Structure formats: C-alpha cells, structure tokens
Amino acid sequence: MRVPLSWLRDFTPLPTDATDAASLRALGEVLDSLGLVVEGIERVGADLEGVVLARVVEIGAIDGADRIRRVLVDAGGASPAEIVCGAWNFGVGDVVALATVGTTLPNGMTIARRKMRGVLSDGMLCSPPELGLPGEGSGLLVLAAPGAGAPLPAGVVPGTPLTAHLGLGPDAVFDLAIEPNRPDALSVAGIARDLAARLDLPFTLAPVELGESAEESAGIARVATEAPDLCDRIVGRVLSGLVPLASPPLVAGRLLLAGMRPISAVVDASNYVMLELGQPTHPYDLDRLGGHAIVARRAAGGESLVTLDGAARVIAEGSCVIVDGAGRVVGLAGVMGGAASEVDAATTRVLLESAHFDARSVGRAAKRHGLRTEASLRFERGVDPEGAARAADRVCALVLAAAAHAGVAAPRVAKGRLEDRPEPREPLRLRLRSARLNALLGTEIETADADRLLTPLGFETVTVEGGLEVTVPSFRPDVTLEVDLVEEVARHYGYEAIVPTRRRSPAVGRLGERQAALRKLRRVLAGTGACEVWTPSIVDPGTEERLGAPSERVALANPIVAEESVLRTSLLPGMLGALRHNAGHRNAAVRLFEIGAVFAPAPVAGEWPSERTHLAVLLAADNDDAAAAVACWHLVADGLGLDKSALALVQGALAAPGEALALGLHPSRRAVVVGGEGPLGALGELDPGVLEAAAVAERRVGLVVLDVDSLLAQARTSRIARPVSRYPSSDIDLAFVLADEVPAADLEAALQEAAGPNSEWVRLVDVYRGAPLPEGTRSLAYRLRFAALDHTLTDAEIAEARGRCIEAAEASTGARLRA
C-alpha cells in the first residue's frame, strides 16, 4: 500500500520532514518496528515546474515511422503545440501532462525542441515515472478522458501547471507491505493511528460535516439485504444534481501518489475514502437502476454480469450479488460493479452503496471469477462493520467539496441514510491477564502499562483483578483472542525492547535426524558460496520436454494457466530460470542450490503420485565445470559423513534411473552416483544445447543432482575421532598415464586401498592431456601423505608403500607410471 506522508498528517501531526532523507528513514524505522514493513520511500512533487495540462486535439501518423505519432495539443497557448510521441494509451480529447521546452524533469532530463522524422517536437508528453510519480512507464499520465468533442470536467483547464492541478508539493510516499493479519492498516487512518500511538501524538478522526437537502432519501431509492449471512449491513446515500466534475487538487494528487488515476469527482471520492478509511463504497447511476433500488442477495444459477472491466461473466451460484429493483444483477458484491449502472459524464443522480460483506464470501467470489480488486482485498481481510455510514457520508462530503472548488452548483444530498441491518453487532470483550501477557513475552509489563499501550489504539479497557477487561474496537476484526491483545501490547512496547530469556520449560526440543542432516547440508552448500533458491513446483510441461524429461507427468486437475499445469519431475527447469534471471541482471557468475520435492505418476493406477526430495546444485561461477561438480559432491558426502567406500561415480552409458537424475547433463561429461541400492544422483556439466534452450548466456555450468531420501539412507563413517600423529608426515607424488574411458575415481580408490593404515589422504593435484601422451589418455598426478601414530616412518617403509600403490594402480586400472 502506498501512503503519502501529507495524508498521514491529516490524522496526526507527524514531525517528519518530507525533504530530509534522514527524517524519512527514521519514520520508516518506526513503521518497520510496528510490523508495517517499508519496502520503499519515494520523495515526490519536486522539479515539476514547466509541466502543464494539455488536451489532445489531433493525432496523426508520421511518414516512415510506425512507433511514433504526431500529436497536436492545446496547452492554453494561442495555437496548438506539435509534439512527437511514442505512447499509445491516449486518444483525442484526453488531458495529459506536457513538459514544455526548457523544463528539467525529476530524472534530470532537460526538454529541448527536437526534430524527429522531419517533425518538430515542441515539448514532451510525459509518463508518471518521468514525472517522479507512481504508475506505468509504458503510457502517458492521462488526467481526464472525456472523449473527443466532449466538454472538459469543471476544474480541468489546459495550461494549468500540473502541481497546481494535483496540489502537489514536496511530499514522500511510503510503500508498505501490509500483512493479512492487519486489515486496519489497509487504510491511511489505520496507519496514522498506529504511528500516533507509538510516537505519543494525538490522533484525530474529524467528524463529517454534511449538508442535506429537504428531500427524503427513502422517497427516492431503497436498499436491502436478503442474505444477512453474506451482507449483514447495507447503507445508501442519494446524490442528485451532478455535473461532469474533476476532483480538487488535494484528492486527485493523493490518489495519484497512492497509485490510482483520477477519473471524476464521484469515482475519485469513492476510491479516496476506500484508501483513507479502509471501507470500499460503490456509486450506481440511480437512473439506470430498475426500481431505483439495490438489494444484496445470493446469486441464482446462470445469472451473468458485464463488469466494469468490460468482461462478460457468468456468476457462480451462491455468490453475493447486488441486484436492482427489477432483479437484474448490477454488481458482484465486494468485488466489482457492473457496466450497465456505471457512473459516467451523463450521470446526474447517484445511489451510493456502502456495505459490510462476509469476508469468506468475497474471497471465494474473487477467486472463482478471476477478479482481485482493491475492494475485494479489503473485504477479504476484514472491514469495519461500523464504518459503512461514516464512509458514505465522507464520499458525499468530498463530492460537495469538489463542486465548491470548481465553482459550480453543489449537488444535493438527500436527507437521511438508507439502511438495512437485520441484527446489530455486539462488541467483542476479551480478558487480558497480566500473568499470561508476561509469560508469553518474557517481560514484566505492569497492568497499567498494558492499559497505556492499548488505549491509544482504540481499545476500551477496564482494570480488573489480574489484568484488563478489553472491548475490541469494530475496526480491528483481526483481534479475536487474548493472544491477539498480547501481540498488540508487544508491538507498541517494542519487540526490540523485549530482552530474550532462556526457556524455562524442562522439555527442550531438538531437531530430528533428517532435519539435522538437511540443516547440515544447507550449511555445507552455503560454504561453497552457493545461495539457496526456492522455485515453483508447478511448471510448464513444454519447458521440461525441451530438457528431455519423461512425457508422463502429474497433471493438475484445475491449472490456473496452461503454462503452469504439471508438477515438476526435476529441479533443473526452475534452477535454470533462476540462473537466467540472475544473468539478465548481469549476475551470471552464481552458484545456486535448492532442496525440494519432485513428482512422478503413481506406478499403479489409483495410488498417490510418487514424491521424492531432491537436491540440485547449479555451479555457474567463473571456471565452474564438471570438475567443480565432482568437488561439490565430495564436499556434500564429507559434510554428511557418508562412507564413500560404499559409493562410486560411474561414467558412460546410464541405466534408466540414472538417466532421470542426469536430466540435462552432457552425454560425455556426466557420471552417476551409485550406492548399494542403485543410483543416488548424477553430476557433471550441463549440455550446451540445454543452456541455449534455457536462454542462458554461453558459459560452462556444473550440476549436481542428488536424491536426498536415498542419500540420507546410506551408511555413515564412524564419528570416533582419529588420533593425530605426533610424528612428521611424508609425502610422495605419483603421476600415472590412464586411458580416458577409465574413471579417475577407480584409480584413486586403488591407491587409497594400497596405501595401507599409515595413509592420511590421497589427493588429485594435476590433470594433463596432450603431447607426448598417446591420444585417448591423460596424466593424473596424485599426492599421498603418510604418517604413523607411534614412530617416524623410515625411507624403506615409504618406498614399500610407494611400490604397493604403483602395483595396485597398474593391476586394477591398467595405469602406467609416468616417468
């Protein structure tokens, strides 16, 4: 949610300076501490001198150009200005933002008179980001769209400075991530209340001053609910005498900063109140409603609606809908209204709906119909059931203020609210026990302190024996249990002020064997410089097929999109997607790993699909290749304490299980890790064709894929520490010429076995191919270290061990000692 600083100040006198980065950061830290995570802070409203409103008069093609057009605009001058523009989201009659010649925009660009394709451009039409405002950069900032030949809304005058039209001054916008458990924070007032309570500032929710006409609302329109379980309260207000009208600068500017495009006074007022108070409202054109009524009820089978986005939708049976007096569906309750009753420039009378809908009903309807709106988001999380009346009055007051600002006759607000509420709501009362509060938090907070922290948040408290009796305000539907009150106290006491305490319970938990092994595995891989990634388990079947995955996969019964319709059989597609993303951000030299589930169809019809846990390590750092993959495998095996004498790396032709694990690996640069029960994994270097298909820049990439379930079942080495020799060690170096088809692992195993009990380790230190070695061979140089526990090894003992190693290497692998 985007929240302008100036809007927060309407409710509490924050001392934050919008032009001072340090002051803004300090307020951001307070928001973070309250659980309202700040994802970004933008300073806006500066460097917009020279940007004015301009109405599009004519749009024409330019010879030889298909991406830019010639646009004539009325910017309040004696004659239209000629502009060359590459945007396509506007039409004749629209009002857009024009940066005149000589203007320097917030991004540092200075506008000059330029000739493009033979057409002289006398300024630039701007997108929101070019003006330092929120919005898409692919199109212009459209401030009004009355249509060609239609009169402009009152208050919209070409040539008016943009800052004056939008009321923009130096301001800051906080981009907040609002968690699902804080529905009250989906409003500017809710956030301001939280800040005021933490900073010990006054919080004011001013009363709505609303002048009403003599005509009674009940004689004009009607509202009702026929499904109290879906809509337990509906409030209506009637406005008449409306004319096309733009919102005043304060409203239009704040909506724009919050990420919404100003449209008209009535629509803008509804959106403004939703952001300000968290209560969605919806205006209906009263003269387009049959029977001049709106009724909330359950949808019957087969009913349909053309929503405001122009899509024709069949309403799911049982959803809450709004119908008019003739029974025609005019809105999907809490989600989106219908086009048939939409407010437009011809609207003179409005029936404003402000209701309280069931959260689960709105959530289901939004999901069933593929619609997720700002209104549905708020209803899904919980809206104040007592806020409907205030929100309706506030919308009307804003429309009246817009008319006063434009100097036109004020619309008439009919006397009295329309309302249907079958049962009034009883406030929720909870007991907060001081002992329970301090037991959960590990603190010593006094009852009076808890009272002091809760009261500014709107909770009514009465001190009772052992704690507080708390009445929960209606705008906090998330607070239903005592532990929720504990959380509120903790937030405003300050999590950072809570000193960690040792666990007092004698029952201390610990990780299971599998959990401990997986944690150790993550630590080992992090030690190689690899970052853990989480990739989707639902993938595109075409992506897996291009990598050579089996054609039989577990398909979803109801995929959201066809491109994500099967469960993955390998971690590789997601890993390649992560590599491609990093490469696209100029960070191609990375190492990534993931531990996740892969799936295969059930071997027997009617059974559950097979699910295994795999580990994949993608090695794309500089100089990574098959050798890096082998080194990574050894680190994993050593980290888990596996008995590597019972495991082997097998190259060459692979059996079917090995092929499944070796998906995407180069045919001649891969090997399968084999244990007692069969393949445990595969490693090597990715095939260049796979990298090309994945749109990854040309580079060598190593890969390790291991079946974690099988890996953890392997035998482990003894955990008993081996004594360290107090005597000097001796090293010998041996270089062998070995045929390419013989794995180096076989030679290493032969040397290790022949070295005897005094061997400390055997390591490959060099690999060489080329003259004078015969074709099809390579030279492998090993260093062997020996040390005895009870004496210094003699030259004869070292020579004997050397001889054994040479004989064993020649006998078991056909290797030849290199001179």
Side-chain angles (χ1 to χ4, degrees), residues 299-626:
E303 290 188 296
S304 62
L305 171 71
V306 177
T307 46
L308 289 174
D309 58 1
R313 304 176 188 276
V314 176
I315 305 299
E317 186 175 359
S319 299
C320 187
V321 292
I322 303 296
V323 300
D324 64 11
R328 179 187 55 159
V329 178
V330 294
L332 184 57
V335 182
M336 186 177 285
S341 57
E342 180 181 8
V343 172
D344 57 22
T347 299
T348 60
R349 296 199 300 170
V350 160
L351 175 55
L352 180 71
E353 165 243 297
S354 181
H356 183 256
F357 299 111
D358 175 66
R360 286 174 293 183
S361 170
V362 173
R364 284 195 298 266
K367 185 174 182 179
R368 286 173 178 173
H369 299 93
L371 281 172
R372 192 76 185 275
T373 63
E374 289 287 343
S376 70
L377 172 65
R378 285 163 174 78
F379 280 120
E380 285 178 44
R381 296 190 179 184
V383 166
D384 181 3
E386 303 299 325
R390 179 186 179 86
D393 289 351
R394 177 68 168 143
V395 172
C396 295
L398 288 173
V399 175
L400 295 178
H405 179 268
V408 300
R412 297 181 301 279
V413 181
K415 185 178 181 180
R417 302 188 196 99
L418 303 167
E419 182 170 0
D420 188 12
R421 190 177 197 182
E423 293 184 11
R425 171 187 172 274
E426 290 296 325
L428 176 65
R429 293 180 175 84
L430 299 173
R431 175 69 66 90
L432 176 61
R433 296 165 291 172
S434 297
R436 181 60 174 160
L437 168 71
N438 290 311
L440 286 174
L441 299 183
T443 55
E444 296 181 359
I445 299 175
E446 299 289 340
T447 300
D449 291 328
D451 188 0
R452 176 180 56 81
L453 294 171
L454 289 174
T455 300
L457 296 173
F459 295 91
E460 297 179 7
T461 60
V462 176
T463 302
V464 295
E465 184 178 355
L468 297 171
E469 189 79 33
V470 181
T471 302
V472 179
S474 60
F475 54 80
R476 291 304 303 271
D478 56 301
V479 177
T480 59
L481 302 170
E482 181 185 30
V483 70
D484 298 324
L485 294 174
V486 173
E487 182 181 2
E488 291 304 298
V489 172
R491 283 196 314 112
H492 283 270
Y493 183 77
Y495 291 118
E496 63 279 2
I498 298 176
V499 180
T501 55
R502 295 188 63 182
R503 183 183 178 93
R504 293 186 293 272
S505 170
V508 179
R510 64 183 181 87
L511 296 175
E513 186 177 347
R514 179 185 174 85
Q515 292 174 310
L518 290 177
R519 182 169 293 186
K520 180 179 288 187
L521 192 56
R522 287 184 168 93
R523 285 200 299 265
V524 169
L525 293 170
T528 68
C531 296
E532 185 171 10
V533 297
W534 292 342
T535 62
S537 56
I538 304 174
V539 298
D540 181 358
T543 300
E544 288 211 330
E545 288 171 5
R546 287 191 292 273
L547 295 177
S551 57
E552 293 187 2
R553 288 181 290 270
V554 180
L556 299 187
N558 55 344
I560 297 176
V561 292
E563 290 75 17
E564 297 176 357
S565 59
V566 299
L567 295 179
R568 63 187 177 189
T569 60
S570 168
L571 300 180
L572 181 58
M575 299 287 285
L576 286 173
L579 178 60
R580 181 172 61 251
H581 177 83
N582 277 275
H585 289 74
R586 306 183 69 177
N587 186 35
V590 295
R591 287 182 166 184
L592 308 172
F593 77 90
E594 179 175 11
I595 300 174
V598 298
F599 306 86
V604 178
E607 294 186 356
W608 289 103
S610 169
E611 179 179 344
R612 305 286 294 178
T613 301
H614 279 193
L615 161 69
V617 187
L618 202 66
L619 304 164
D622 294 336
N623 302 318
D624 277 347
D625 54 12

Side-chain angles (χ1 to χ4, degrees), residues 624-684:
D624 277 347
D625 54 12
V630 173
C632 181
W633 152 245
H634 285 295
L635 284 172
V636 168
D638 291 339
L640 294 178
L642 300 181
D643 182 2
K644 290 195 287 185
S645 65
L647 306 173
L649 293 180
V650 179
Q651 294 175 272
L654 304 174
E659 284 285 1
L661 290 164
L663 181 68
L665 290 174
H666 192 287
S668 62
R669 298 177 186 168
R670 64 184 182 184
V672 171
V673 182
V674 179
E677 300 298 324
L680 307 177
L683 55 88

